[in-house]
Amino acid sequence: MARYLLKRIGFILISLFFIISITFILMKAAPGGPFASERKLPPAIEQQMNEAYGLNDPIYKQYADYLINAVKFDFGPSFKYTGQEVTDIISRSLPYSLILGLEAIFLALSIGVLLGVIAALNHNKFGDYIAMVIAVLGISVPSFIMATILQYIFAIKLQALPVARFESFAHTILPAVALATTPLAFIARLMRSSMLEVLHADYIKTAKSKGLNDRVVTYRHALRNAIMPVVSYLGPLVVGILTGSFIIEKIFGIPGLGNEFVVSVTNRDYTVIMGTTVFFSVLLLVSILVVDLIYGFIDPRIKLSGKGSK
Amino acid sequence: MKKLLEVKDLSISFDTYGAEVQAVRNISFHLDEKETLAIVGESGSGKSVTAQSLMRLVPMPPGKFVGGSIIFDGEDITQKSEKQMESIRGKDISMIFQDPMTSLNPTMTVGKQIAEGLIKHQNLSKKAAHDRGVELLKLVGIPNPEARIKQYPHQYSGGMRQRAMIAIALACNPKILIADEPTTALDVTIQAQILDLMRELQDKTGTAIILITHDLGVVANAASRVAVMYGGKIVETGTVDEIFYNPKHPYTWGLLGSMPKLDAEGEELQAIPGSPPDLADPPKGCPFVTRCPYAMKVCEQHMPDYKELSSTQKTACWLLDERAPDVEPPESAIVGGTEVHG
């Protein structure tokens, strides 16, 4: 187990190296720079600023500095927001995205799994059709439309919930629901199909032949086996949601991390790009590892070992 | 001997999109205490549906009882509620399935899977159920049961899984054990072990066994009586000796003829030409008519009645009618040499 973990962490580091390098190359390949703006700076000042931020160094030196900084998790100050460290920006905006994200994941997972199970148990009956209509709607309606519809109904017409900003729990409900819709629908479909498959498995018949009632058969025997595909979808989902959605945060006026991520790219704010990318990648790689560990925990056939195959 | 189970005129159909598939058509048989009844037939003959219907495990819908009754313990199983069935399944009647690789839950330890039935039907505590589980594993010949009971099915070999399945099935000392092709998915050497085990446990516990199989070798080895199914009907029943040495139905002849023989050097394996009838549109007369080399005009139009050849042997074939020509069974269907024993 320890050996397995060590090996996986090694892989994470290798992946990170590639991600960081590719980000660097793309960043440099994109035209423009942090100080390019519509109002032309006097050449002397631009020269001086480039000098100060090390942008005049030869590219290999910039790359080396960049790598060293990444290893130290020290991304330096933002190029755009004077006086702000990249870590400040992340730690300021992350909590918003985190809270929203956790709420959305909770919604997506609980309701998605429930819908999927209901659909499977009522295969080709009313419950199935209802659940799948919800799922198809959830997948096909984009989150920004969902968000505006929610705002229109619950905030403007019913006046039940605040329309935007992030001040109390009530403020989080609409954005969390909008954020959860697509993954919820996806999980419902995944769960339905894998549940249908499991319900036809021989061991379900065995369980029934022991005289267990349908509820016990479903919960004790079917659910655990059927939830595997959902678990594997969970890794990327968690990261995608936790790091915030640019669109949802824009619509609801929430100063989250998703917003920073996109704005930093358009600003060519090199240090912020790097910081958010590294943060995002670490989160993604770690959560994939966690999902694999959960996988092994749920299904004993999956053996976590340090050896090459199997 | 006392009749444990009696099936009368049972018919089961499945509603499919196109048509109603009549998987089981008017079959009757009984099971005595402590005996082993084999139900033989090829794929699609309705034998598995028959077996599963005894425990009401046929999914309904699409399946449905069209008619008939299954009398167990003086009561008709087809009339029972789902709740009542739950107290029969696993306690009075239990079942083992064809493929031990897929019939155990992969995410649950073998011990828990054995304990479930015990906790449900005998109100044992978890601890007591565990201890009984160890006993059962020992009984079915799994070495080192204390350690094995904590393991998952994937840590067992195929033969051991089938042993574990038998342990699960016998946990509550059922009166009837239904074994649906219990050896089909196993190696030949393991097959013999499992059959021996079943016979040994039957001697110990007195459980009656219904053995579903298409393998006549298994029948000769394990059963005392045989029902031959074809096209959703039982075409012939009798003791093992009657079926092997005095078969009267051409389909039974065909089955016996298609059995590989040790002394048949260089001879080709006999097959029954053609394929079984489409049960969505079953033939009016005898279901075997299209493949039967002795088919007569009457066979197409009318299903023959059963003719009692002895107190135990019954055959449904027009050849046994007094107006029919005398037909001798083909040489390939004559079983000779080794003693067949039930």
Side-chain angles (χ1 to χ4, degrees), chain B residues 264-277:
Chain B
E265 208 176 312
E267 254 176 66
E268 242 180 82
L269 213 52
Q270 298 269 335
I272 307 174
S275 54

Side-chain angles (χ1 to χ4, degrees), chain B residues 37-116:
Chain B
L37 169 71
I39 301 181
V40 224
E42 61 197 274
S43 308
S45 59
K47 54 193 196 301
S48 278
V49 173
T50 305
Q52 295 186 6
S53 71
L54 301 181
M55 280 177 91
R56 287 260 303 272
L57 282 176
V58 177
M60 295 189 179
K64 64 177 181 206
F65 283 118
V66 177
S69 58
I70 301 168
I71 307 294
F72 171 72
D73 238 1
E75 289 174 58
D76 185 357
I77 279 185
T78 62
Q79 302 301 321
K80 286 193 181 286
S81 72
E82 191 57 25
K83 197 97 216 128
Q84 288 170 314
M85 280 316 296
E86 278 165 19
S87 60
I88 291 180
R89 290 185 195 129
K91 180 165 162 272
D92 294 324
I93 309 178
S94 60
M95 190 156 182
I96 53 182
F97 298 94
Q98 177 170 356
D99 190 352
M101 296 297 175
T102 56
S103 48
L104 290 166
N105 185 342
T107 60
M108 200 185 256
T109 61
V110 172
K112 275 192 187 151
Q113 297 190 51
I114 299 176
E116 271 186 326

Side-chain angles (χ1 to χ4, degrees), chain B residues 216 243-244 247 251-259 261 332-335:
Chain B
L216 285 174
I243 295 295
F244 277 82
Y251 179 61
T252 315
W253 296 344
L255 276 184
L256 290 167
S258 60
M259 223 178 17
K261 291 177 190 68
S332 63
I334 295 170
V335 179

Side-chain angles (χ1 to χ4, degrees), chain A residues 49 56 81 91 133 164 179 240 266:
Chain A
M49 296 209 16
N56 283 343
Y81 309 107
S91 56
V133 165
L179 199 55
T266 50

